[in-house]
Amino acid sequence: MVKSGSPEDMERMMARLDADRIRPMDDSSPIRDFPRYGRPLVCVNGIYGKAVAWSHSYGLIEWLDVSGEYHLSWAQSASIKRVTDEE
């Protein structure tokens, strides 16, 4: 669990700011955030993570790579597939 004010929380906040700066320019629709504890599990091109936010054409996805490094990136909505815990 990431506690508020922890180094991990700061890392996630900075990653979100970076992701918002490089948001695809072809989508000017509003961004809506999923609740922190209600984020759906998703798969994007073989990468499993959680959806953090969405707009009309894109979703903001967070995941940890095999080394445990945190990533946050926008993906086209057509490439995002909702998955279950078992998957």
Side-chain angles (χ1 to χ4, degrees), residues 41-59:
L41 299 174
V42 295
C43 180
V44 180
N45 300 325
I47 297 172
Y48 290 86
K50 289 184 178 181
V52 175
W54 79 96
S55 67
H56 179 71
S57 302
Y58 294 90

Side-chain angles (χ1 to χ4, degrees), residues 38-43 48-51 81-86:
R39 295 177 176 164
L41 299 174
V42 295
C43 180
Y48 290 86
K50 289 184 178 181
K81 179 186 172 219
R82 201 174 268 214
V83 296
T84 62
D85 290 338
E86 293 78 35

